[in-house]
Amino acid sequence: EVRDSVIEIAGNLDQKQYGKPDAVTVRGDGLVTAVGDNGVYRRSVYLRQRRKEMPSFLETFDLPQMNPACQQRPTSNVAQQALYLLNSTMVRDLADQFALKVGDMSSSDGDKSVAINNIYLAVTGQAPDETQLQHSLEVLQSLENKWQQHFNSLTKEEQQQIKLGPAQKALSTFGHALWNSAGFLYVD
């Protein structure tokens, strides 16, 4: 559910039903990841799953084991889940796509509160309260300043290879952080 939700929020979920399962790749370090079709991914139920090649994202978030038969599957909340969401290249790429999507939906007058509202609605299903909005505006401005400093430290050639500008990277980082929040991961 978490994987599909992250992909859906980023706007990269292919809802097509049936057909062959999507392939996975196995890195040298053992990480098993889905192979997207131009950055578009199918639902988790359509990933190829083999006993020795279980997708890491799903395994981290309590995918049932294929070997044992059991009456009840326990759920967990472990550090590996947060670390996976923070460090996964796929999740970072999806956060960048999400930032572009939010940027397109936001106002052109530079009002960041519209972008923050759109991010909260997409990730948590509810608008931020006034305290959350003010705190988020401060955080987003701080992130944008940090990304601007980073971009300024790059050479012209390195800057040309970057896909997102400082404002978009700030939105990406902010959205990525909210994906690790209780408002996204847990149902009240």
Side-chain angles (χ1 to χ4, degrees):
E1 293 176 21
V2 173
R3 178 186 177 275
D4 293 350
S5 296
V6 168
I7 296 169
E8 173 66 30
I9 290 170
N12 293 29
L13 185 65
D14 180 0
Q15 297 279 357
K16 181 179 74 174
Q17 295 182 356
Y18 313 111
K20 288 185 169 185
D22 283 356
V24 296
T25 60
V26 182
R27 291 191 341 197
D29 62 0
L31 186 72
V32 181
T33 57
V35 177
D37 184 20
N38 292 324
V40 177
Y41 300 89
R42 293 183 70 199
R43 291 184 50 226
S44 298
V45 72
Y46 296 109
L47 279 180
R48 185 185 77 199
Q49 297 180 21
R50 294 184 176 158
R51 288 183 186 163
K52 295 191 183 237
E53 294 178 359
M54 295 303 296
S56 299
F57 200 127
L58 301 180
E59 198 168 43
T60 303
F61 286 91
D62 298 324
L63 177 75
Q65 295 293 319
M66 296 177 101
N67 294 336
C70 62
Q71 301 299 319
Q72 183 176 4
R73 181 170 53 126
T75 58
S76 65
N77 178 14
V78 294
Q80 290 91 327
Q81 294 171 341
L83 290 171
Y84 192 91
L85 280 176
L86 284 173
N87 296 318
S88 168
T89 303
M90 178 185 141
V91 175
R92 281 196 306 269
D93 291 343
L94 290 168
D96 287 349
Q97 292 299 314
F98 179 47
L100 292 172
K101 179 180 161 184
V102 168
D104 290 344
M105 296 184 321
S106 301
S107 65
S108 58
D109 64 359
D111 184 9
K112 291 180 177 46
S113 62
V114 174
I116 290 169
N117 192 53
N118 288 336
I119 290 172
Y120 264 89
L121 284 172
V123 174
T124 67
Q126 58 190 8
D129 62 30
E130 192 58 37
T131 304
Q132 289 171 319
L133 180 61
Q134 288 306 313
H135 184 68
S136 297
L137 284 167
E138 294 169 12
V139 167
L140 195 59
Q141 187 59 53
S142 175
L143 287 169
E144 191 171 338
N145 292 341
K146 296 286 186 191
W147 278 110
Q148 187 63 55
Q149 290 173 358
H150 173 72
F151 281 99
N152 291 342
S153 71
L154 300 174
T155 65
K156 291 288 183 194
E157 294 80 27
E158 290 171 328
Q159 288 177 357
Q160 290 173 347
Q161 294 176 357
I162 304 295
K163 296 177 186 175
L164 303 179
Q168 292 168 320
K169 282 303 280 183
L171 284 174
S172 173
T173 305
F174 184 77
H176 191 174
L178 275 182
W179 282 342
N180 256 313
S181 70
F184 174 70
L185 292 171
Y186 306 106
V187 178
D188 285 335

